[in-house]
Amino acid sequence: MAVKIRLKRMGAKKAPFYRLVAADASAPRDGKSIAELGYYNPIKNPPIVSINEEQVFQWLRHGAIPSDTARSLLRNHGVLQRWDAL
C-alpha cells in the first residue's frame, strides 16, 4: 500500500479549506484518509497553515510521498528543511 501526503478539500462551494492528510495513493481526493496531519486555509489573509510536524516526520519515515502541493506547503513552512537535517 503506497501512502501519499496530500490535501483533502473541505468547506463550502467557493470557500475551500484543505486538510493535510496521509492517504492511500489509490483513494480518491476527498475519500478516506489514514491520518490527519494539519490544515491549510487559503481564504484568510494571510493564509493559515498548521502542520503537526511529528506526525509528518513519522509518515515520511514510513515512506510516504508528498504530492507537489503538499511538498510546497511543507517546504514553505520549514518542515522539509528540518526533515533533511535529521
Side-chain angles (χ1 to χ4, degrees), residues 2-83:
V3 176
K4 285 197 168 252
I5 296 174
R6 62 184 182 196
L7 297 177
K8 179 178 184 177
R9 190 181 193 279
M10 307 291 287
K13 183 163 78 171
K14 303 211 182 221
F17 177 88
Y18 299 94
R19 288 188 182 162
L20 186 68
V21 298
D24 183 20
S26 63
R29 177 192 72 181
D30 298 335
K32 186 177 176 183
S33 58
I34 301 169
E36 185 179 322
L37 309 176
Y39 63 88
Y40 167 58
N41 189 350
I43 300 298
K44 298 287 185 180
N45 193 10
I48 299 172
V49 178
S50 174
I51 298 173
N52 185 335
E53 294 181 19
E54 291 302 318
Q55 283 188 334
V56 171
F57 292 157
Q58 176 186 0
W59 283 105
L60 289 173
R61 265 187 238 112
H62 290 310
I65 302 169
S67 68
D68 293 338
T69 307
R71 182 183 309 275
S72 175
L73 281 175
L74 293 173
R75 185 180 310 117
N76 292 340
H77 202 260
V79 176
L80 288 183
Q81 289 82 0
R82 286 188 281 284
W83 171 251

